[in-house]
Amino acid sequence: MARAGLTAERLVRAGAEMADEAGFDKVTVAALARQFGVKDASLYSHLKGSQDLRTRIALLALEELADRVTAALAGRAGKDALEAFANAYRDYAREHPGRYAAAQLRLDPDTVAASAGVRHARMTRAILRGYDLTEPDQTHAVRLLGSVFHGYISLEAGGSFSHSAPGTQETWSRVLDALDALLRNWPAS
């Protein structure tokens, strides 16, 4: 029988908070059970196991991030949209490092198709419509943006840029300027 007050949603939210505090790699059913002061078995009426918990946290993170990016993009186009999109990702990663890591979890194709990951792809392509890219260049540009944003965010979070001037915000702005220039002058296929 399920313990009163424990629900899958509550456990996933607690797991997401744990990920932000301790790291996504530390999130397990056992760690969550310890946090709630219950036996691991108490959680199995709500979760299939640690992988199920991690997947649900990833889906929560994708949803939260998509909501944030959607709000940031409202009414924007071109470089303004590119900056809003990039800044929403970077801000989310800074505020929720464990959830951001969860959003990178490899999911099976059916789970991806039913997730907010689809919204992320649509939003990225919507930004690129302002740059008049067609396929296959649009797909290449989606991959480029994802790689640059994730790479920069990951390196910054790991402290790789903290040892020298200029500050990371100045570099981030220059990166976005360079991406905008590249997208406006995309080489012909």
Side-chain angles (χ1 to χ4, degrees), residues 3 6 11 14 18 28-44 47 53:
R3 184 177 175 106
L6 291 182
L11 294 170
M18 180 185 294
T28 64
V29 170
L32 203 54
R34 280 191 302 277
Q35 180 176 319
F36 280 98
V38 299
K39 295 193 183 294
D40 297 9
S42 302
L43 304 188
Y44 287 108
L47 303 166
L53 173 61

Side-chain angles (χ1 to χ4, degrees), residues 24 51 54-55 58-59 62 101-109 111-112:
F24 185 56
Q51 188 58 37
R54 293 168 59 81
T55 297
L59 294 172
L62 288 169
Q104 310 311 311
L105 184 68
R106 186 179 187 145
L107 303 171
D108 68 77
T111 303
V112 169

